[in-house]
Amino acid sequence: MNDMTLLERGVQTDDIKISARNVEVFYGDTHAIKNVNVEIQDKTVTAFIGPSGCGKSTFLRCINRMNDTIDICRVKGDILLDGEDIYDPKVDPVQLRAKVGMVFQKPNPFPKSIYDNVAYGPKIHGLARNKAELDEIVERALRRGAIWDEVKDRLHSPGTGLSGGQQQRLCIARAVATEPEVLLMDEPCSALDPIATAQVEELIDELRQDYSVVIVTHSMQQAARVSQKTAFFHLGTLVEYGATDRIFTSPEDPRTESYITGRIG
Amino acid sequence: MPVSWIMIILFALAVLGYVLGRRRALASAGGDMRNLHSLPSYYGSHVALFAVAPAVALLAIWLVVQPMVISSSVARSFPDGAISEGSSLSLVMSDVKRVADGLNVAVERGALSAEEAGSVSAGATNIRERLGSVGVALGSDVDSSVLDAAQKYRAYASTGHLIMTLAVLGLALTGFIYGMAQMRAEFRARNIVEHAVKALLVFAASIAVLTTVGIIFSLIFNTIEFFKLYPARDFFFGLTWAPSFGGGSELGMLPLLWGTLYISLIALAVAVPIGLFAAIYLSEYASPKMRAIAKPLLEVLAGIPTIVYGLFALLTVGPLLVSIFGREGLNWMQAGTAVMTAGLVMGVMLIPFVSSLSDDIINAVPQTMRDGSLGLGATHSETVRQVVLPAALPGIVGAILLAASRAIGETMIVVLGAGAAARLSLNPFDAMTTVTAKIVSQLTGDADFASPEALVAFALGMTLFVITLGLNIIALFIVRKYREQYE
C-alpha cells in the first residue's frame, strides 16, 4: 500500500491534548503499566504499538477511565486532558467519556436500528432539542463515519445486520455523534478484512482534522500508514515515543528496532 | 430359577468375560499392550458386552411378552358357559391370575405341596379356606373352571419360565464365546464399545421421549372416552362447574380456566417485577462476593416443596390478608382462602425462576455491549435500561413464559390457598379454584372411573397440557432465536 500519501499531511498543530505523567496501573497484584509519561497532540493520530500484553490497551482505557469498570484495577499518576486531571475526584467519569469517545476491537453495535445506534449518545446527553436536530446529528455523524451512503435508505433496519466493516464504521459514527474531543480506538481493524480495514484507515485519517485520535494496533504497517506519532510499549513500559517516520526508520532503542524488524513480539 | 438369580449369573459372566477377554487379547499381542488396536479394557468390555447385552434384552422382552401369551392361551381354552352373566372375560381372567398367584404363595409357605397345587380340585377341598389360611384372601368361592384355568396358568408359567432361563443363559454363553473368539490384537474393540455406548445413550433418550408420548396417548384416549359421554361444547364453553357423582353434572371448564388464569396473572404480577429487579441487581450491580451469597439464597426458594408454600398461604398469608381486607377491615374478603392469597404465594414461589433465568440471560449479554454504551458516556443505569435489557429482552420473555407455565400447572398452593369453589368472579378476594386442583378432587373421589365425573379430569389435564406445551414452545422458540444473535 501507499504509505507516504497519508503521512504527507504532517502534524498540523503542536497543542498538547493529553498529557500522562508517571502513570502506573495495577490489576490486583499485577503491575500492568510502569511509569508511563507521554504527551499526545491535538489533531494528530497517535499509534500505540507493541507485543500482546504490553499494556497498550490498558493505557488507552485509562484515558477515558474505562478501567473504572474493572473492580481490581487501580490507576496511579496523573492524566491531564487540556490541563485538567481526569482522575480528580471532581471529574465525573461519565462526562469524561462523552468527551473522550472510544471504538472497540470488535464492532459492537447495540441491538437497535442504525439510527438509534447513532442517536443513542446524543439522546442520553441531551444534545438535540427536537427530532429534526437529532436527524441532523445522526446524518452528520454517519457522513463523518463514511457510511451514510451505504445506510441512508435503511436507517431503521438493525445495526447488527450490517457487515463487519460497516458495523465498525457505524461504531465510529456512533462515537463521533457525541462530539468528542478525543477518539480512542482499540485495535479497530483487527476483526476486519483488508478492504474494510482500508476504508476504516481512510476514515481515521479524515477524522484527524477534527479530533485527536489514539489508536492501538498490532499491525506495524497500519501504524505507519495512519499515524503521525508512534509510541512503542514493551512489558508495561513506554520504550520509545516520537514521530512515526522516525520510529520506523531510525529507532533509538534497540528493543524498538527488534520489534519493528520482527525479532521480538 | 428366579430372575434375580439369572441376573446374578449374567453379572458374574460379565466380570469373567471382562477378565478373560482382556487377558486373551493381551496374550494374542504377545503381552505387549502397544501391539493391540485398542486399550486392553476395551477388549474386556467387548466380551462382557456380548455376554450380557443380548441376554438382558431377551430377558426383558420375555418377561413382558410371556404373561400376555399365557393369558390369551388360557383364555382361549375357557369354556364358553363358564363366564357368568354380569361378568366379563377380563374379570374372570383376573380371578384366574389371583388364584394362580395364591397357589404359588401357598406352595411357598408349605400349605400345599407342589403336586397338590397342580392336582387339587374344587370339589374335594375348599380352596378359598386353604388359601386364606396362608394369607391369600379371595373374594368368593373358587369354582372349578377358574381353578382349572389357574392350574393351567401355573403350568404354562413354569414351563415358560424354564424355557426362558435356558434361552437367556444360552444366549449369554453364546455371546460370551462369540466375544472371546474375536479377541485378537487387530480386532477393533474400541469402535464396537463406542457403538455400544452410543446405543445406551440413544436408549436413555428414547425412554424419556417415549414416556412423554405414552402420557399424551393415555390423556388422549381418556379424553376421547370423556367426550363420548359428555358434549365437548358444554365442556369448553359451559359457565358452571357442578359435578355431582350421582350423574347430571354440569362440567363447564371456563370457571376453572378463569381461576387458573387469574391466579397465574397475580402470581406473575408479583414474580416478574421482583424477579427481574433482583436479577438486574445480581448481574449488574452486586459485587462478586455479594452475588456468591445472594444467588444461592434466592435459589433456595426454588427448592422449597410447594406444599410448604401452601401451608404458608393457608396459615400466614391468608389470615394476614383477612385482617386487612376482611370483615374488620375493608370487608372485601370472606375467608383466608382467596385468589389473592394463592396468587401472592405462588408469585413468591416463581421469583427464583424469573430471577435465576433472567440473571443468566443478562450475564450472556456481551461485555462489549456494555463497554460500548459506557464508552459513549452513558451511566450504568442508562446502560442497563437502554442497552442490556433490550438485548436480553427476548430471553427474559422466554423466562417469564416458563414461569407462567409453572404457575398454570401449580396445584398444592391452590388447593390450600385459593379454596375449592369454582366460580367466575372478578374480585381477587373471592375463593376460586383452578384446573389442577379440580383434577385432583375429581380423581380422588369415590366416583366410578368410567363416569364422566372422573374422566373429566383427563380432559382438563389435556387442556392444561396443551396450554403449557404451547407456552413452553413459544418460550423455547424465543430463547433460541435470542441465542443465535450472539453466537
Side-chain angles (χ1 to χ4, degrees):
Chain A
M1 294 218 192
N2 193 339
D3 292 351
M4 296 314 289
T5 50
L6 299 185
L7 289 174
E8 276 165 11
R9 297 184 199 184
V11 180
Q12 291 164 345
T13 165
D14 290 332
D15 293 346
I16 302 299
K17 189 71 185 170
I18 302 161
S19 131
R21 290 182 205 141
N22 308 325
V23 174
E24 313 254 349
V25 179
F26 302 86
Y27 284 119
D29 295 332
T30 319
H31 199 170
I33 301 270
K34 294 162 194 154
N35 195 25
V36 167
N37 291 284
V38 69
E39 305 215 308
I40 292 166
Q41 288 166 332
D42 202 6
K43 306 210 189 306
T44 306
V45 177
T46 306
F48 290 174
I49 61 170
S52 291
C54 68
K56 54 195 190 301
S57 288
T58 300
F59 183 67
L60 189 78
R61 289 167 66 95
C62 289
I63 301 176
N64 69 347
R65 293 187 59 175
M66 278 301 279
N67 283 334
D68 290 16
T69 61
I70 299 167
D71 289 333
I72 54 165
C73 183
R74 283 183 298 125
V75 180
K76 280 191 196 163
D78 300 321
I79 298 178
L80 309 180
L81 177 70
D82 291 330
E84 278 179 61
D85 185 2
I86 62 169
Y87 280 91
D88 190 287
K90 278 183 301 195
V91 171
D92 178 5
V94 170
Q95 287 302 314
L96 172 74
R97 288 181 205 136
K99 262 200 282 185
V100 184
M102 185 150 193
V103 175
F104 296 85
Q105 186 168 356
K106 237 179 100 192
N108 57 349
F110 303 136
K112 300 170 184 284
S113 71
I114 293 169
Y115 182 93
D116 287 335
N117 260 286
V118 180
Y120 181 78
K123 268 189 196 159
I124 56 175
H125 296 297
L127 298 183
R129 270 167 304 186
N130 51 45
K131 180 82 172 71
E133 262 185 38
L134 190 61
D135 287 348
E136 205 177 295
I137 290 174
V138 169
E139 179 177 343
R140 198 166 58 228
L142 285 170
R143 278 189 195 285
R144 240 191 274 173
I147 193 180
W148 171 253
D149 292 332
E150 290 157 67
V151 300
K152 64 181 176 210
D153 300 323
R154 48 170 174 156
L155 286 177
H156 295 282
S157 55
T160 43
L162 297 171
S163 74
Q166 287 174 324
Q167 284 188 11
Q168 193 62 300
R169 278 179 285 146
L170 175 65
C171 291
I172 294 173
R174 188 176 70 186
V176 166
T178 54
E179 300 289 336
E181 296 166 20
V182 179
L183 256 188
L184 307 178
M185 298 188 167
D186 190 355
E187 298 180 42
C189 300
S190 65
L192 304 183
D193 68 27
I195 293 167
T197 301
Q199 287 165 331
V200 171
E201 285 178 3
E202 183 77 19
L203 174 59
I204 291 169
D205 193 58
E206 281 168 25
L207 291 173
R208 178 163 67 89
Q209 292 159 13
D210 302 302
Y211 312 101
S212 166
V213 179
V214 184
I215 174 172
V216 162
T217 177
H218 263 123
S219 155
M220 282 174 285
Q221 289 82 354
Q222 184 172 63
R225 280 194 301 265
V226 300
S227 71
Q228 288 78 50
K229 293 279 222 161
T230 295
F232 171 64
F233 284 79
H234 189 234
L235 300 176
T237 53
L238 177 63
V239 174
E240 194 167 350
Y241 176 54
T244 299
D245 41 2
R246 187 190 60 71
I247 295 270
F248 280 95
T249 49
S250 52
E252 284 164 10
D253 194 286
R255 284 171 294 178
T256 315
E257 192 185 353
S258 305
Y259 183 69
I260 61 176
T261 52
R263 274 197 297 257
I264 58 170
Chain B
M1 197 186 297
V3 174
S4 54
W5 273 86
I6 301 179
M7 292 305 288
I8 290 171
I9 293 176
L10 287 181
F11 179 73
L13 207 58
V15 173
L16 188 71
Y18 182 88
V19 174
L20 292 182
R22 195 175 181 281
R23 187 177 299 163
R24 190 177 153 104
L26 264 178
S28 76
D32 188 349
M33 208 172 93
R34 286 172 300 176
N35 295 335
L36 288 170
H37 169 271
S38 317
L39 288 173
S41 63
Y42 283 111
Y43 290 93
S45 307
H46 179 259
V47 176
L49 192 71
F50 269 78
V52 170
V56 169
L58 180 69
L59 184 66
I61 293 170
W62 199 295
L63 285 177
V64 172
V65 172
Q66 177 177 307
M68 294 190 217
V69 173
I70 291 180
S71 296
S72 72
S73 75
V74 170
R76 229 179 293 124
S77 70
F78 231 84
D80 286 336
I83 298 165
S84 56
E85 241 171 80
S87 183
S88 70
L89 185 62
S90 68
L91 283 178
V92 174
M93 276 314 295
S94 68
D95 266 354
V96 169
K97 265 177 231 163
R98 210 170 308 135
V99 173
D101 288 343
L103 290 174
N104 285 341
V105 173
V107 171
E108 243 170 64
R109 302 266 172 89
L112 288 169
S113 72
E115 294 102 70
E116 251 186 311
S119 61
V120 73
S121 70
T125 348
N126 187 343
I127 289 294
R128 191 181 175 192
E129 220 164 67
R130 295 207 45 186
L131 291 184
S133 70
V134 289
V136 181
L138 295 177
S140 61
D141 279 336
V142 181
D143 73 40
S144 64
S145 61
V146 170
L147 185 61
D148 282 348
Q151 282 162 346
K152 205 180 283 175
Y153 189 96
R154 284 191 70 228
Y156 285 165
S158 73
T159 323
H161 193 82
L162 185 68
I163 301 175
M164 177 189 80
T165 308
L166 293 177
V168 167
L169 293 182
L171 189 62
L173 214 58
T174 316
F176 181 85
I177 293 166
Y178 175 76
M180 285 299 281
Q182 285 177 311
M183 290 300 101
R184 296 176 310 274
E186 68 274 20
F187 179 66
R188 300 181 183 179
R190 188 181 175 188
N191 308 24
I192 307 262
V193 173
E194 291 288 302
H195 278 299
V197 170
K198 192 172 122 192
L200 182 72
L201 300 180
V202 169
F203 177 68
S206 53
I207 279 187
V209 174
L210 288 179
T211 312
T212 314
V213 173
I215 290 173
I216 294 173
F217 271 102
S218 82
L219 276 179
I220 287 177
F221 287 132
N222 286 301
T223 305
I224 291 171
E225 258 335 275
F226 170 70
F227 284 132
K228 277 184 198 155
L229 297 169
Y230 194 86
R233 237 188 62 167
D234 291 359
F235 172 70
F236 284 116
F237 302 107
L239 294 179
T240 321
W241 173 267
S244 71
F245 287 116
S249 322
E250 283 189 78
L251 301 172
M253 183 191 68
L254 286 182
L256 305 184
L257 198 62
W258 168 245
T260 301
L261 294 181
Y262 203 176
I263 292 174
S264 305
L265 203 70
I266 292 176
L268 289 178
V270 172
V272 169
I274 296 179
L276 194 55
F277 290 162
I280 292 172
Y281 171 71
L282 283 181
S283 57
E284 291 290 327
Y285 292 95
S287 65
K289 209 192 262 172
M290 180 70 197
R291 192 181 143 85
I293 298 168
K295 203 175 177 201
L297 277 182
L298 197 60
E299 280 164 3
V300 165
L301 273 183
I304 298 176
T306 55
I307 185 77
V308 176
Y309 281 109
L311 291 175
F312 179 60
L314 188 67
L315 300 177
T316 312
V317 179
L320 190 75
L321 286 177
V322 168
S323 72
I324 301 169
F325 300 101
R327 223 156 281 158
E328 267 116 67
L330 295 163
N331 202 8
W332 291 344
M333 199 171 179
Q334 307 305 320
T337 49
V339 168
M340 190 53 97
T341 314
L344 287 179
V345 175
M346 202 190 283
V348 173
M349 180 196 83
L350 292 179
I351 289 172
F353 285 92
V354 176
S355 75
S356 190
L357 281 170
S358 304
D359 178 63
D360 291 345
I361 289 156
I362 291 172
N363 269 326
V365 173
Q367 184 60 32
T368 56
M369 217 55 89
R370 293 185 187 89
D371 285 348
S373 175
L374 293 172
L376 286 169
T379 62
H380 200 149
S381 86
E382 283 167 343
T383 303
V384 171
R385 252 185 301 131
Q386 304 198 18
V387 175
V388 177
L389 283 186
L393 194 64
I396 291 171
V397 171
I400 292 170
L401 288 181
L402 284 179
S405 68
R406 282 281 307 200
I408 289 172
E410 177 48 42
T411 315
M412 280 336 288
I413 295 176
V414 179
V415 170
L416 293 178
R423 84 175 70 168
L424 277 166
S425 157
L426 277 176
N427 182 358
F429 297 102
D430 273 346
M432 285 187 207
T433 192
T434 64
V435 176
T436 49
K438 279 301 157 196
I439 292 177
V440 175
S441 65
Q442 291 313 104
L443 281 183
T444 49
D446 285 336
D448 176 6
F449 198 75
S451 69
E453 285 76 21
L455 284 173
V456 69
F458 293 98
L460 290 173
M462 193 72 204
T463 314
L464 213 54
F465 178 75
V466 169
I467 294 174
T468 50
L469 185 72
L471 280 179
N472 279 336
I473 288 175
I474 297 172
L476 284 178
F477 178 75
I478 291 174
V479 169
R480 188 172 309 158
K481 203 172 157 202
Y482 158 80
R483 287 231 172 96
E484 283 167 356
Q485 212 169 336
Y486 298 117
E487 280 170 11

